[in-house]
């Protein structure tokens, strides 16, 4: 049963999982980073408080985050179809993954930026720094370690979501685990895919922590 | 240089309106080292933030170098702030940037090119005596060194004014002295007007030439340091002058129970043995609770706290005797807490 076909399938599964996870994380940050910055900046303790903008972003983020991913996956099928052209396969799965990841990433960015010492921001203001200078040269720089730690968490979570997407034909290791382990009672294949998922999460975690520690100047 | 006219600042909090500043008017001249002193919560931090509009006063005007800050646009205000450096109690350095990058930071904001910024930063490192630490990160520095970096950073854009918000409060006495000496040197060498916010009378005495005392959001007293130190008029001023002397518990307790006066000797009153003569004249001993010489704006001043006899008539006569000899005398019983 561990013939070439199964091994090829698992290798392809790893490829699909990596593709979905990395693409979704990347796209998640493309949307989530500005969202997080906007949340942190417009909050009442932020550098440009704007209660209306904050409340809208806050509300939308919470709504998306409240919907269980499996439901979101199904609800978004028409939307996915308009964007990708079909609603199954790895590429199609990226759409709901990005939608789910964006508010999640935004919240993590928001909390990372809020950890930045308000005194440092005040010092920058006293030097005549404008909002954009403070965002790009103070907040994002001072918070980079925290943001990278957040990214490793995000990538692990998105990997988990991508496995869930397997249930609706999303492809990847999750898809294999469900088809073989659940529908065909082939526990051995399921265990192998689960182990592979664990290994992937570990790798991402290790790399992420290594980079963030390397970049942290607050260590002697 | 800096003129405050009728500055008030109120905050809306959950518990209602808080008046942080009430109708403060003040003038700070060019070249001054102006101390603003008050107990914590008196409103002094709010006041210093009104000087560069980090806090916008609710009413009143702040004029810096002839410009009314409230009339400036956001952009003009940012430009104006480049002429007003500021340092803080907790230094507020960028922790992820090296010392030299921290000092280059305000220069980059002002659009100075990289090389010129680096050159200027190196000059500043020399002024604050940290040339060796250019490539260190703030975490590797001591508190005093961090404040030196902060001073270098604040001076990078050649400001005319330097605001210091409790700049020495997180430092030990030795380091405080060295930072104050550096500030004084900067003031003398470059003619930069310095405004110092502090709760320590010692800091004001050490380097300020003028002082304003803030109590409960109001400017209760202001003038030359030497006058305020010798003849504090308001309760807040007296409390600050005394609190500084009354560090030991016993003295404070005695002050609370006994009939005490504080006297300050000026240069020409030290020749006559005043206390000894007074004791001889009245035939009644007085208790010297504390005696000290203090350097006030570079002039030595003697300060003494005397416990007078219980007899009120006798005590009054003694006070008059001291006053006749041109000593600054004030009663200090009762209000030291």
């Amino acid at each position: 049963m561990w013939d070439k076909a199964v091994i090829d399938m698992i290798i392809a599964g790893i490829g699909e999982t990596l593709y979905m996870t990395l693409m979704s994380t990347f796209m998640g940050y493309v949307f989530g980073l500005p969202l997080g910055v906007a949340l942190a900046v417009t909050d009442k303790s932020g550098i440009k408080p704007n209660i209306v903008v904050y409340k809208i972003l806050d509300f939308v983020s919470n709504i998306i985050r409240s919907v269980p991913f499996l439901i979101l996956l199904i609800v978004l099928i028409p939307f996915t179809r308009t964007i990708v052209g079909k609603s199954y396969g790895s590429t199609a799965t990226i759409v709901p993954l990005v939608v789910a990841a964006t508010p999640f990433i935004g919240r993590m960015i928001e909390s990372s930026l809020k950890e930045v010492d308000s005194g440092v921001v005040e010092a920058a203001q006293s030097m005549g720094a404008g909002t954009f200078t403070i965002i790009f040269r103070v907040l994002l720089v001072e918070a980079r370690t925290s943001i990278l730690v957040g990214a490793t968490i995000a990538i692990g979570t998105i990997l988990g979501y991508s496995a869930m997407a397997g249930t609706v034909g999303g492809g990847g290791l999750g898809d294999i685990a469900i088809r073989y382990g659940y529908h065909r009672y082939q526990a051995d294949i399921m265990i192998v895919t689960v182990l592979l998922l664990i290994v992937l999460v570990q790798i991402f975690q290790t790399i992420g922590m290594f980079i963030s520690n390397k970049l942290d100047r607050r260590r002697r | 240089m800096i003129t405050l006219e009728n500055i008030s600042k109120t905050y809306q909090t959950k518990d209602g309106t808080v008046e942080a500043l009430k109708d403060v008017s003040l003038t700070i001249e060019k070249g001054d080292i102006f101390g603003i002193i008050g107990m914590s919560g008196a409103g002094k931090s709010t006041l210093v933030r009104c000087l560069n509009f980090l806090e916008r006063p609710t009413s009143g005007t702040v004029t810096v170098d002839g410009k009314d800050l409230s009339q400036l646009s956001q952009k003009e205000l940012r430009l104006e702030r480049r002429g007003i450096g500021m340092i803080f109690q907790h230094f507020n350095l960028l922790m992820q940037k090296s010392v030299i990058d921290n000092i280059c930071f305000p220069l980059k904001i002002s659009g100075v090119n990289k090389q010129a910024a680096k050159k200027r930063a190196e000059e500043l490192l020399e002024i604050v005596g940290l040339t060796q630490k250019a490539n260190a990160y703030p975490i590797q520095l001591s508190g005093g060194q961090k404040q030196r970096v902060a001073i270098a950073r604040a001076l990078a854009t050649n400001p005319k004014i330097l605001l210091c918000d409790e700049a020495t409060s997180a430092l030990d006495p030795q380091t405080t002295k060295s930072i104050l000496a550096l500030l004084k040197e900067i003031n003398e060498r470059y003619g930069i007007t310095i405004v110092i916010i502090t709760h320590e009378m010692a800091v004001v005495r050490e380097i300020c030439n003028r002082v304003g005392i803030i109590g409960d959001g109001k400017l209760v007293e202001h003038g030359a340091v030497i006058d305020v130190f010798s003849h504090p008029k308001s309760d807040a001023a007296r409390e600050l002058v005394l609190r500084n002397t009354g560090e030991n518990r016993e003295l404070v307790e005695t002050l609370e129970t006994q009939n005490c006066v504080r006297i300050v000797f000026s240069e020409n009153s030290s020749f006559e043995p005043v206390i000894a003569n007074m004791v001889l004249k009245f035939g009644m001993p007085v208790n010297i609770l504390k005696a000290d010489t203090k350097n006030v704006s570079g002039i030595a001043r003697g300060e003494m706290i005397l416990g007078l006899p219980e007899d009120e008539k006798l005590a009054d006569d003694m006070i008059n005797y001291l006053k006749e000899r041109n000593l600054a005398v004030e009663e200090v019983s009762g209000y030291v807490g």
Side-chain angles (χ1 to χ4, degrees), chain A residues 119 122 125 137 142 217, chain B residues 49 81 92 95-96 108:
Chain A
E122 192 180 34
Q125 284 170 331
R137 294 196 183 207
E142 288 291 291
R217 307 294 183 214
Chain B
R49 279 165 179 71
R81 280 185 186 148
N92 298 351
M95 298 304 281
Q96 303 286 5
K108 282 185 188 152

Side-chain angles (χ1 to χ4, degrees), chain B residues 240-259:
Chain B
L240 281 161
V241 168
L242 262 185
R243 171 159 300 206
N244 199 243
T245 63
E247 272 150 14
N248 82 51
R249 209 45 239 146
E250 271 172 55
L251 178 60
V252 171
E253 274 164 24
T254 323
L255 287 174
E256 276 163 3
T257 52
Q258 269 200 13
N259 194 4

Side-chain angles (χ1 to χ4, degrees), chain B residues 228-232 238 241-242 260-264 319 323 328-333 335:
Chain B
V228 174
F229 178 77
S230 308
H231 309 276
R238 251 173 279 163
V241 168
L242 262 185
C260 297
V261 290
R262 171 178 174 273
I263 55 180
V264 178
I319 291 171
K323 281 184 177 159
V329 184
E330 38 165 310
E331 296 196 44
V332 293
S333 314
Y335 64 76

Side-chain angles (χ1 to χ4, degrees), chain B residues 4-199:
Chain B
L4 302 181
E5 277 171 275
N6 313 104
I7 294 296
S8 296
K9 174 79 188 177
T10 51
Y11 294 102
Q12 300 298 332
T13 66
K14 284 193 191 94
D15 311 321
T17 313
V18 177
E19 274 190 277
L21 292 173
K22 299 167 196 159
D23 198 25
V24 173
S25 297
L26 189 64
T27 305
I28 298 172
E29 303 293 341
K30 188 169 166 47
D32 270 352
I33 302 186
F34 197 103
I36 294 172
I37 186 167
M39 299 292 169
S40 45
K44 54 194 192 303
S45 279
T46 308
L47 181 62
V48 76
R49 279 165 179 71
C50 286
L51 299 183
N52 59 3
F53 260 47
L54 281 179
E55 300 264 11
R56 223 165 239 279
T58 314
S59 65
T61 55
V62 180
T63 316
V64 176
D65 229 5
K67 278 183 204 149
D68 179 352
L69 295 188
S70 63
Q71 300 299 316
L72 300 180
S73 69
Q74 280 296 325
K75 188 152 181 273
E76 287 169 325
L77 184 60
R78 285 205 298 273
L79 287 174
E80 192 58 30
R81 280 185 186 148
R82 286 172 199 169
I84 309 173
M86 188 167 186
I87 59 173
F88 305 84
Q89 179 173 7
H90 299 296
F91 326 120
N92 298 351
L93 299 176
L94 294 158
M95 298 304 281
Q96 303 286 5
K97 293 272 183 202
S98 66
V99 165
I100 192 119
D101 287 343
N102 262 287
I103 303 174
C104 286
F105 184 71
L107 295 165
K108 282 185 188 152
I109 294 175
S110 315
V112 175
N113 76 49
K114 218 171 176 173
Q115 271 172 336
K118 192 155 178 282
K119 192 159 164 287
R120 173 78 182 133
E122 277 160 2
E123 280 169 30
L124 288 156
L125 276 175
E126 186 137 357
I127 294 171
V128 301
L130 281 178
T131 313
Q132 305 295 319
K133 298 282 182 190
N135 295 311
Y137 285 89
I139 193 81
Q140 299 161 320
L141 304 177
S142 68
Q145 289 172 329
K146 281 184 205 164
Q147 197 59 288
R148 281 168 188 272
V149 175
I151 291 171
R153 182 176 70 173
L155 296 180
T157 47
N158 281 313
K160 304 164 295 255
I161 300 164
L162 179 63
L163 308 177
C164 311
D165 183 22
E166 296 277 11
T168 57
S169 300
L171 304 174
D172 60 68
Q174 203 58 42
T175 316
T176 296
K177 263 194 168 10
S178 78
I179 292 293
L180 293 179
L182 176 64
L183 291 175
K184 185 146 200 163
E185 188 193 327
I186 288 163
N187 166 264
E188 283 165 3
R189 255 221 290 195
Y190 307 101
I192 294 173
T193 307
I194 298 182
V195 180
I196 292 182
I197 298 293
T198 183
H199 64 273

